[in-house]
Amino acid sequence: MSRTLKFLAEKGFSRARDVPAVPERLRTERARGHAMAVEEMEPGLIAVAAHVRDHRGDVVAALNVSAPVFRLPPDAVPKVVDAVVTAAHRLSARLDGTAT
């Protein structure tokens, strides 16, 4: 198990049985262009994040929006995802990074 996966498991970041699935989940989220957590870290919390790249194309930051699930109904999630990804792309462009 990698050091990162071990850290996640120790901190309760992911349920222990899910830790082996983290690398595949990261690949999927990277390809999708955003990550989403629904009540994974805290009951009742949903979060959406997208990466920001610099002029070298390196990921240097992430933009995140989180909210209580009762304030972000399922039909609103796609709009939030789009807003977060769009904002991250715009910030990347301002840093002269790639928009992906």
Side-chain angles (χ1 to χ4, degrees), residues 59-83:
V59 175
V60 294
L63 293 181
N64 172 67
V65 170
S66 58
V69 292
F70 69 86
R71 291 203 178 160
L72 189 59
D75 60 325
V77 171
K79 291 178 185 176
V80 172
V81 168
D82 185 51

Side-chain angles (χ1 to χ4, degrees), residues 6-86:
K6 185 177 178 187
F7 172 82
L8 291 172
E10 289 170 355
K11 299 300 179 189
F13 202 72
S14 192
R15 291 168 295 196
R17 70 178 188 269
D18 295 334
V19 170
V22 170
E24 180 58 32
R25 181 171 175 183
L26 290 174
R27 280 190 289 278
T28 299
E29 291 169 346
R30 190 173 293 125
R32 190 173 55 210
H34 72 276
M36 187 165 29
V38 181
E39 298 191 84
E40 289 181 33
M41 298 296 297
E42 186 175 331
L45 184 71
I46 183 170
V48 176
H51 61 267
V52 176
R53 294 183 184 272
D54 69 3
H55 65 281
R56 294 181 303 267
D58 295 331
V59 175
V60 294
L63 293 181
N64 172 67
V65 170
S66 58
V69 292
F70 69 86
R71 291 203 178 160
L72 189 59
D75 60 325
V77 171
K79 291 178 185 176
V80 172
V81 168
D82 185 51
V84 170
V85 170
T86 298

